[in-house]
Amino acid sequence: MKPCLQNLKKKEKWMKKKVLRSIGSLFLLLILFSFNSAFAQQKKAQTEEEKIAQREKETLLWEEAQREAAKVKKVLLVYQQKIPDGAKYDAVHALRNQISHFNTRIVPIKSSKYEPGMLQFYDVVFYVGFNDKEPPPKIFYEDVIDAEQTICWLYANAGPVVNREGDTLGFRVSEKTEFGFNSLSYEGISFSRSGDDAYVITITDRKKAKPRASYFRRNEYVPYAVQSDNFWYVSDLPFFLDSSGHIFCDLLHEVFKEPHSSYKYAMIRIEDVHPYRDPKQLRKVGDIFKKYKIPFSFAIIPVYTDPETKERATLAEKPYLIAAMQYLQEVGGTPILHGYTHQYRSESGEGHEFWDINNDTPIAEDSEKWIRDKLNKGVDLCADNGIFPLAWETPHYGASELDYKIFSEIFSTGVERMQLSDLTSQASQSYPYFIQSRNGRWIVPENLGYVSYREGQTVDKILEEAYKILVVRDAVAVGFFHPYVETEHLEKMIIGLKDLGYFFLDMKTLPNQVKTDKWQIYSGLPYFYGETENKKVFYNREITPIINLDIENKYIYSFVMSKKFKKKDIDVSEDPVNGDILTRIPRYQEGVFVIRIGDEPKVGLKSFEHWALRTFLGTDSRGVADSMMRLLMWGLFIITALLLVFLLVIFISFAFTKRKGNRV
């Protein structure tokens, strides 16, 4: 028996060693694997940090180089009258919008109220004359003649400055307008023109006066604009988006001596996505954008209603549509809120919402509370269902000045054309580049129209308009497409814009802010940073990355939606929060930062990272969970798990050995 027991003890000893070696090897492999993963994550985090640091460094270098050019320029806008004779649009508002593309501070004043010497307090002075019935006061002419500042004179009443004895400026202007100028030429490209009248410029000294663009009449070329030292003269009223407007907007870069980066951006907006749209068709549209790997936007109407049939449906009632819109987000689409119901008396999508089109006036219910309530409910319906709008589009581009003011308080960005006064909705204005409205809203211009073969709006016409906009050095071309139109036209539009040399704009890279009572949504950086082929593009915009939340007994739930629209970096307050809370927007160039403020927590601590943070670090704050903390957290978890496995294996091996011994 003794030899058997000795052999058994030897076997037990050998088995213990083998088990311990196996466990040790496994333990070592797991530790190496966990540290390898941890270091890989750390390296990835460091790489991302290096990229962000490089971007910030490049931005600082750009700002340093452009500091003098980007200095805020004080602009005096002297006008004859705000509303031209026989018109219903605000011309001063129109010119102010075009100028707002540049780093300016604009002060408008009626010419009859100009006082001596006022001009000297400004860097650039614009004068707008509509006719020769009411010229500016004599003292204004005298100040302009002696001015060292940049002067830009538009259309009428330039004679006393230009047609002086001695040929001081090197050109002359006709006393009356002439007709027949129905085409233009600029930078080697010819354009048709909506009007045909103009003041005729005659160059008398080409060393002094430099013609910029030309009218064409029969076999005669006449300058459209001319520069003589610090004095610019434009023989048209280029307020609207036609060929004259394109040329004027491009020349403004030289008037202000502000060298913007030369980029060409395009965007396609999928229009009128309401609760009765076909989810399958929306997915088909998304597949096309995914195929070409380009970003886009889609305009949402969260509530459909038809007063005639009494039919009504909300986004929340359509789970398949919600899933389709979430898919659009995943493949690069940026949601835009396109009203709440997009109707006033008609069916959703067919009528105005903030304008009485029958009487061509603001609607009777127009009030701050009514507008704010609509926008709050619209954002809530979208965000509660995982759709996060980053911009606003006014239904049918019709709204009052009060409406625009409230839109700007909730949305920092609009994708639209702008109505120019409360006198009519028929006079709207678009632009060939980004502008900032007088209420401070960043406007991405819609300027290409939409595809409708029934109305003669073909893809070829849209591409023709996009070609014209290319004369502007930092052009932005935006058109829209309804999801019920055959998708072959969408593909043709995408290919055509690419062939013209446009790069597609991702709205998420713009510094957008949406602020309602319940939701706050942010994207981009405090500056617009993008990349085109072999070029880096910078477009500075002052938006603070610090958020001040004034909260009374509310819960905060925040997260980041990644580029593929997956939630990460979730943060939930366990208890209600009171007072002013300062938080910094995470600088995710391609992500969306979302904050929900509510009476109850949005969710419990569902993620393991939250549980681990509370367990190991005593907090669930994502501010603590930086990359190193995450490494520590996972390391502690893996080591604890391995120790438990080790103890379990030891226990099982001893139990097995004891059982064998008992048998013997």
Side-chain angles (χ1 to χ4, degrees):
M1 290 294 289
K2 285 184 179 179
C4 290
L5 287 171
Q6 286 175 355
N7 289 335
L8 185 61
K9 284 180 180 178
K10 285 180 181 178
K11 284 183 179 179
E12 283 179 6
K13 198 172 183 181
W14 176 80
M15 281 184 65
K16 283 179 185 177
K17 286 181 180 179
K18 193 170 183 180
V19 169
L20 287 171
R21 282 174 186 169
S22 300
I23 292 170
S25 300
L26 180 64
F27 185 69
L28 184 61
L29 284 171
L30 286 170
I31 289 175
L32 288 171
F33 176 76
S34 64
F35 275 102
N36 184 52
S37 300
F39 282 120
Q41 287 183 20
Q42 185 181 5
K43 189 175 180 182
K44 186 177 178 182
Q46 285 175 347
T47 304
E48 290 299 319
E49 288 171 4
E50 285 170 5
K51 285 182 180 178
I52 293 171
Q54 180 64 23
R55 288 170 187 162
E56 291 178 348
K57 182 181 177 182
E58 288 171 345
T59 304
L60 291 172
L61 291 171
W62 172 263
E63 290 174 350
E64 182 76 23
Q66 300 299 315
R67 197 174 302 281
E68 186 61 31
K71 185 181 73 171
V72 175
K73 295 178 177 67
K74 292 176 284 185
V75 177
L76 181 65
L77 203 167
V78 182
Y79 60 92
Q80 190 181 43
Q81 57 198 72
K82 279 191 173 183
I83 311 297
D85 294 336
K88 287 188 175 182
Y89 70 89
D90 187 334
V92 175
H93 187 182
L95 179 57
R96 184 234 161 269
N97 287 340
Q98 290 170 320
I99 294 172
S100 71
H101 177 66
F102 304 91
N103 200 1
T104 55
R105 188 178 299 116
I106 304 163
V107 177
I109 183 172
K110 198 171 185 347
S111 58
S112 59
K113 295 184 178 179
Y114 180 83
E115 296 180 3
M118 188 180 288
L119 181 150
Q120 66 181 319
F121 298 105
Y122 297 88
D123 301 303
V124 182
V125 178
F126 283 80
Y127 172 79
V128 186
F130 294 100
N131 54 59
D132 54 10
K133 297 174 185 176
E134 187 186 343
K138 184 180 178 182
I139 187 61
F140 179 68
Y141 282 119
E142 291 174 357
D143 282 355
V144 166
I145 290 168
D146 295 334
E148 294 181 0
Q149 293 88 345
T150 300
I151 309 292
C152 187
W153 198 290
L154 302 183
Y155 205 56
N157 302 315
V161 177
V162 176
N163 300 334
R164 288 176 287 148
E165 291 183 11
D167 195 23
T168 308
L169 295 175
F171 70 96
R172 294 187 174 277
V173 176
S174 63
E175 294 296 328
K176 299 290 183 181
T177 56
E178 296 184 19
F179 296 87
F181 302 106
N182 48 24
S183 63
L184 276 163
S185 177
Y186 180 65
E187 298 293 335
I189 303 172
S190 296
F191 305 92
S192 59
R193 182 170 174 246
S194 54
D196 70 342
D197 65 311
Y199 284 90
V200 177
I201 300 171
T202 304
I203 304 294
T204 57
D205 187 343
R206 288 193 171 270
K207 291 182 180 179
K208 291 182 179 179
K210 183 180 180 183
R212 308 305 301 267
S214 300
Y215 296 115
F216 181 70
R217 178 175 65 176
R218 294 183 289 276
N219 292 319
E220 176 187 16
Y221 281 95
V222 174
Y224 160 80
V226 63
Q227 177 192 4
S228 178
D229 195 20
N230 66 324
F231 187 87
W232 289 76
Y233 175 72
V234 180
S235 61
D236 194 10
L237 294 170
F239 303 132
F240 295 98
L241 195 68
D242 58 12
S243 52
S244 177
H246 300 334
I247 295 166
F248 177 65
C249 287
D250 190 59
L251 290 176
L252 283 176
H253 292 83
E254 296 178 40
V255 172
F256 286 106
K257 299 175 184 175
E258 198 166 306
H260 288 174
S261 298
S262 180
Y263 56 81
K264 314 290 181 184
Y265 273 120
M267 186 175 73
I268 298 173
R269 186 182 70 210
I270 304 305
E271 194 76 346
D272 292 347
V273 181
H274 60 59
Y276 282 128
R277 290 292 182 224
D278 182 1
K280 291 181 181 178
Q281 186 64 19
L282 281 178
R283 286 181 176 272
K284 192 175 177 182
V285 168
D287 288 341
I288 290 173
F289 286 106
K290 183 180 180 181
K291 173 184 173 183
Y292 289 97
K293 298 179 180 178
I294 61 171
F296 62 101
S297 61
F298 58 101
I300 303 168
I301 307 167
V303 175
Y304 174 91
T305 184
D306 188 343
E308 196 171 306
T309 63
K310 308 297 182 186
E311 199 169 5
R312 181 183 172 87
T314 70
L315 185 62
E317 298 164 8
K318 305 288 182 177
Y320 292 111
L321 181 68
I322 291 169
M325 285 197 278
Q326 289 175 344
Y327 174 69
L328 293 183
Q329 287 182 133
E330 288 171 13
V331 296
T334 297
I336 296 170
L337 189 63
H338 190 24
Y340 181 57
T341 61
H342 196 318
Q343 57 81 233
Y344 181 47
R345 296 189 180 97
S346 60
E347 176 191 5
S348 288
E350 298 299 322
H352 292 67
E353 184 172 357
F354 298 92
W355 191 261
D356 183 350
I357 194 62
N358 293 341
N359 299 307
D360 202 16
T361 60
I363 61 176
E365 296 94 331
D366 209 18
S367 70
E368 181 174 338
K369 184 180 181 303
W370 181 81
I371 302 160
R372 199 177 291 277
D373 183 56
K374 274 181 168 284
L375 270 63
N376 269 290
K377 289 193 291 187
V379 172
D380 287 354
L381 261 175
C382 293
D384 286 346
N385 291 286
I387 314 295
F388 301 102
L390 287 176
W392 168 260
E393 179 198 348
T394 305
H396 280 1
Y397 304 143
S400 68
E401 285 299 316
L402 174 62
D403 299 336
Y404 281 123
K405 178 178 176 292
I406 306 304
F407 298 161
S408 299
E409 291 175 8
I410 294 175
F411 289 90
S412 70
T413 307
V415 184
E416 58 185 354
R417 304 187 183 209
M418 298 279 288
Q419 186 172 316
L420 289 174
S421 76
D422 283 353
L423 298 175
T424 182
S425 66
Q426 303 306 309
S428 64
Q429 185 189 31
S430 191
Y431 326 91
Y433 46 37
F434 298 118
I435 71 149
Q436 193 166 26
S437 75
R438 59 184 174 185
N439 291 314
R441 202 159 46 113
W442 187 248
I443 303 297
V444 179
E446 184 280 297
N447 46 29
L448 298 180
Y450 61 98
V451 177
S452 175
Y453 280 77
R454 185 182 60 187
E455 299 173 22
Q457 289 287 103
T458 65
V459 173
D460 290 334
K461 283 191 175 180
I462 286 175
L463 295 177
E464 184 182 337
E465 189 59 37
Y467 173 70
K468 292 177 183 176
I469 295 173
L470 283 172
V471 299
V472 182
R473 64 198 69 186
D474 49 0
V476 177
V478 178
F480 57 101
F481 186 90
H482 291 90
Y484 51 78
V485 178
E486 293 84 353
T487 52
E488 64 193 58
H489 303 306
L490 177 59
E491 286 204 68
K492 183 179 178 181
M493 192 173 171
I494 291 170
I495 293 167
L497 289 169
K498 279 191 166 187
D499 289 345
L500 287 173
Y502 282 101
F503 292 86
F504 285 85
L505 174 67
D506 187 348
M507 286 286 295
K508 293 183 287 296
T509 61
L510 295 177
N512 305 297
Q513 295 184 359
V514 181
K515 295 181 180 181
T516 66
D517 296 339
K518 181 177 175 183
W519 292 93
Q520 296 198 17
I521 308 167
Y522 302 84
S523 78
L525 297 166
Y527 52 88
F528 168 31
Y529 174 91
E531 289 191 14
T532 61
E533 189 176 14
N534 300 321
K535 291 181 183 176
K536 285 184 167 52
V537 173
F538 299 87
Y539 205 100
N540 295 326
R541 183 182 178 199
E542 290 300 323
I543 286 189
T544 175
I546 303 294
I547 310 169
N548 187 0
L549 302 174
D550 185 9
I551 297 172
E552 292 185 10
N553 205 36
K554 303 282 186 182
Y555 289 88
I556 299 174
Y557 168 62
S558 68
F559 55 89
V560 171
M561 297 299 289
S562 68
K563 187 180 178 182
K564 294 295 184 182
F565 264 76
K566 304 296 181 186
K567 285 185 185 179
K568 63 179 184 178
D569 292 1
I570 301 169
D571 192 8
V572 184
S573 62
E574 289 186 300
D575 302 309
V577 177
N578 284 286
D580 289 345
I581 306 298
L582 290 177
T583 184
R584 179 173 289 276
I585 304 174
R587 292 193 164 192
Y588 290 91
Q589 185 197 346
E590 295 174 324
V592 176
F593 181 50
V594 182
I595 299 173
R596 180 189 181 275
I597 303 166
D599 295 323
E600 296 179 358
K602 173 70 176 175
V603 293
L605 297 176
K606 291 184 178 180
S607 72
F608 163 72
E609 288 186 38
H610 263 277
W611 170 82
L613 280 167
R614 292 183 59 199
T615 303
F616 293 115
L617 303 177
T619 177
D620 63 339
S621 170
R622 300 304 298 186
V624 176
D626 60 12
S627 58
M628 291 307 296
M629 282 296 181
R630 278 197 289 272
L631 292 178
L632 175 62
M633 176 190 70
W634 281 106
L636 286 170
F637 171 74
I638 290 167
I639 290 168
T640 304
L642 288 171
L643 284 171
L644 288 171
V645 170
F646 176 74
L647 291 171
L648 182 63
V649 171
I650 292 294
F651 174 77
I652 291 169
S653 67
F654 273 108
F656 175 77
T657 304
K658 190 174 181 182
R659 188 177 176 187
K660 281 273 189 183
N662 290 336
R663 284 183 181 179
V664 174

